[in-house]
Structure formats: C-alpha cells, structure tokens
Amino acid sequence: MAIKNLLITGSNGCVGQYLIDWFLRNTRYRLYLMVRDKNKLPLAIQKNKRIKLLICDIRECDRFSKEISQVNFLIHTATAWGDPKRAYDVNIKAFEELLGMLEKDKLEKIIYFSTASILNEQCELMRESLTYGTEYIQTKYKCFERLKESSFAEKTFAVFPTLVFGGTLNKRSKYPASYLTSGLKEINKWLWIARFLKLDSKFHFIHANDIAQICGFLIKNHKEENYKGFKKFVLGQNFISIDDAINILLKRNGMNRYFSIPLTKTIMKILLRVLPIQMTPWDSFSIKKYDFNHVPITNPEKLNLKSYARSLQDVLRLAKLPGCNIN
C-alpha cells in the first residue's frame, strides 16, 4: 500500500507540533511540514526520516509546488494577524494559491483551521464578526465564505477551535505553550481583585492535544456517508462561566471568597458608557455579546474518544500552573 502524504502548515505553532506528534505516533504517513524557521522544531522531528521540511513563508510556497502537488491530506493551521495587509495576504491570498497547487485527483481531505469568533451560538456565520472584528477575524470570515463556495468544499473539514491551551509553563515542555497557557503566568496577579467580582459569561476551551486527536480521527476514520457536503466542527469542551473559572483558580491557590459583586450584562453596558476605557470595536461587541458558547460543539467524547484535558482543572494541572492544590 502506497504511503500517504500529509502537509501541515503552521507546523512551528503549538497546535502544529501536537499534530505532528499525533500523526507520527498513529500513522505511517509521510509528513510535509511547512515552516519559516526549522530551528523552532525539536531536533528529533527535523531528523525524522518520515518528515520533509518545506522551509518557506506560506506566501512563497510556490517554491515547493512539486511536493504540494503530491499531497493527499492538508491540515492548514498557518495564520497571521496584526497587520491588515499581511493578514489578507496570508489568511486568504496565500491559502488560495496553495489550494491551486494541489492535485485534486490525489487530494482526499482538507482540514482548515478557522476561529470560533466568526460563529454565533448556533454555529452559523455571525455578521458582526465582519463588521466589528479585527483584521484576523475579518479575513477568517471572508476565507471561510470563499472556501465554502469553492471546488474544494466537498473535501473540506472546517474546524473552529475555541480557547486553546497547550504546552506547559516550565522550560521542559515538549511543545510550545499556546498564547492562553503563556498568559496563565499573570493570573495570580489579578486573583485578589477577581474574587470580588461575579461574571457569569460563558466560554468553551480545548487542549491542543485534543485538537490533534480530533483532526487525526477526521483524517483517518470518518466515513463519507456520515459527513455530506461542506463540514464544520466547533472544537471545545462543555462551556463553563468566568465565575466558575475564578472559583477553580481561587481553590487552587488556597484563597477564600467571602462576597462578590455581580457584573450583569446591563451593568457591563453602563460601565462601558461611563468609564474612560479605550477599546476596539471588537472589544466593545464582545462585552455586549457577553456569552461565547456554541451548539453543537465537538470534543473527543463526541467521537467516542477520550479527552486529554476535559476540565479546566485538567488544563491547569497539565500547564504546570503553580498553586496550593496541585492534584
């Protein structure tokens, strides 16, 4: 049986490296890894005989058009934000040029990474994301619309991660820490005041290891008859509230909570009007929206798998976040 070829873009990132590890352990695929800096990959990956590095910015990936034409599976995680032109060039233009280099007769599946920020509670496109979103959110919205109408739609699984954790806070981590995990370093600085506030705003989260599990399942095990047409999956564990998260962190740090002031949606709107706080249009919209929960969501259990990190307690333990309660 011929060995399949899998291309992963954004391979240097947190999710990218969990994906690499999963496919090396669970498949015999040949992995094409698109990276800008190979030195950000562990030496064991760089030297693995099943891996071929495509060292380039995705905007210059035509240098590897021959390799790209041999791809059977594409997992596209590469993205850009901050500068509007770069966001458009990377998130839309370069991705569509990459699709044009694929050989459709060889290509079996695409897993396209978007963001849950462009979807409403019913997992449909949220127009406000295009109106108020950052350049990253806006380009992801536009790219999703174009991909859904493209000739690649039938072969595409669009995944929408919610808040992503991964890696650890110590230097011995096998994987790079996600932005959220890195942000946990600052969390104890704000707990002393957060314990006096009550915010019931809901959110989902997911660990990068569980994202890799789900992508592996979709590539290897999905049955075509169960997934007709363009397919989308919001990746996350069951929602919790910000207040639940505060209580978990307080318990972990051995801190008491004697009272809390409810910050309702109405109070938040009033505070936005009276406080001299500078916010982007997306910040203002997010506060007014209040909840970021979705139905349905997909986690490993929905696919008869077992989550690596099913609870926020699991996430904090795996991140090696210091605390009084480390169990």
Side-chain angles (χ1 to χ4, degrees):
M1 182 180 293
I3 301 296
K4 302 285 188 178
N5 298 322
L6 165 65
L7 169 60
I8 302 175
T9 69
S11 300
N12 278 338
C14 174
V15 172
Q17 293 199 31
Y18 276 94
L19 286 166
I20 294 166
D21 189 53
W22 193 95
F23 281 96
L24 285 177
R25 288 188 290 106
N26 295 282
T27 73
R28 297 177 60 236
Y29 298 164
R30 182 183 297 109
L31 304 187
Y32 292 166
L33 307 182
M34 190 174 292
V35 295
R36 285 184 296 170
D37 181 1
K38 71 173 184 178
N39 294 320
K40 291 183 178 180
L41 290 172
L43 283 175
I45 290 177
Q46 295 183 43
K47 295 179 178 180
N48 192 297
K49 293 181 179 179
R50 287 170 51 199
I51 282 176
K52 180 175 179 60
L53 299 180
L54 310 185
I55 303 173
C56 66
D57 187 293
I58 191 172
R59 292 169 290 185
E60 302 170 343
C61 64
D62 57 338
R63 292 162 44 194
F64 296 99
S65 58
K66 180 179 178 181
E67 288 84 355
I68 294 170
S69 70
Q70 302 302 310
V71 165
N72 304 109
F73 307 108
L74 166 64
I75 300 181
H76 178 64
T77 76
T79 192
W81 58 88
D83 175 69
K85 183 179 186 306
R86 181 169 178 267
Y88 173 82
D89 288 346
V90 171
N91 298 344
I92 298 179
K93 184 180 177 183
F95 174 58
E96 292 183 339
E97 290 174 352
L98 172 64
L99 292 180
M101 298 175 210
L102 298 169
E103 178 60 56
K104 287 187 178 180
D105 290 339
K106 290 188 175 71
L107 180 70
E108 298 181 32
K109 300 169 193 170
I110 296 171
I111 294 183
Y112 168 74
F113 274 68
S114 188
T115 169
S117 296
I118 70 172
L119 301 179
N120 62 19
E121 289 82 356
Q122 293 76 42
C123 299
E124 300 298 332
L125 276 176
M126 183 170 62
R127 190 69 184 177
E128 290 86 348
S129 299
L130 191 58
T131 305
Y132 303 114
T134 64
E135 71 290 328
Y136 166 71
I137 293 171
Q138 290 180 1
T139 52
K140 283 296 187 180
Y141 185 107
K142 293 173 183 176
C143 190
F144 175 78
E145 280 193 312
R146 291 159 72 150
L147 182 57
K148 189 175 180 180
E149 300 301 320
S150 76
S151 60
F152 292 93
E154 287 288 331
K155 295 184 177 183
T156 297
F157 294 81
V159 295
F160 301 82
T162 49
L163 300 180
V164 177
F165 291 92
T168 70
L169 295 175
N170 60 36
K171 296 180 179 179
R172 292 175 293 176
S173 178
K174 182 179 178 181
Y175 309 98
S178 72
Y179 289 105
L180 279 175
T181 295
S182 296
L184 291 173
K185 295 176 182 178
E186 303 295 315
I187 205 156
N188 289 339
K189 294 181 180 180
W190 299 102
L191 268 183
W192 70 273
I193 191 170
R195 62 178 167 169
F196 298 117
L197 304 174
K198 182 179 179 63
L199 190 59
D200 289 326
S201 174
K202 302 177 184 67
F203 67 95
H204 301 279
F205 64 88
I206 191 161
H207 196 279
N209 193 308
D210 290 324
I211 293 176
Q213 273 201 82
I214 293 169
C215 290
F217 177 88
L218 295 177
I219 290 287
K220 285 187 63 182
N221 300 314
H222 96 284
K223 297 185 184 302
E224 196 65 41
E225 60 268 21
N226 295 334
Y227 299 97
K228 296 294 184 182
F230 189 78
K231 301 155 283 287
K232 63 178 189 254
F233 303 85
V234 177
L235 308 186
Q237 300 295 341
N238 295 331
F239 70 75
I240 65 171
S241 70
I242 291 177
D243 201 54
D244 293 333
I246 291 172
N247 283 329
I248 289 168
L249 288 163
L250 289 172
K251 182 178 180 181
R252 187 178 181 87
N253 284 273
M255 298 172 68
N256 295 318
R257 193 180 204 186
Y258 301 106
F259 70 91
S260 56
I261 302 170
L263 292 180
T264 64
K265 193 172 184 178
T266 300
I267 292 175
M268 294 288 286
K269 288 181 179 179
I270 293 172
L271 289 174
L272 279 177
R273 294 193 189 103
V274 301
L275 293 177
I277 301 174
Q278 288 190 347
M279 289 185 293
T280 66
W282 180 251
D283 292 333
S284 299
F285 170 72
S286 297
I287 291 174
K288 292 174 183 176
K289 186 176 186 299
Y290 199 72
D291 288 324
F292 283 84
N293 57 302
H294 304 275
V295 178
I297 56 167
T298 299
N299 52 46
E301 279 67 26
K302 296 289 178 68
L303 304 174
N304 295 319
L305 304 170
K306 183 178 180 181
S307 287
Y308 180 72
R310 196 170 186 179
S311 68
L312 186 58
Q313 291 92 330
D314 291 337
V315 166
L316 299 177
R317 172 176 53 81
L318 292 165
K320 310 296 184 186
L321 179 68
C324 296
N325 178 11
I326 60 173
N327 295 317

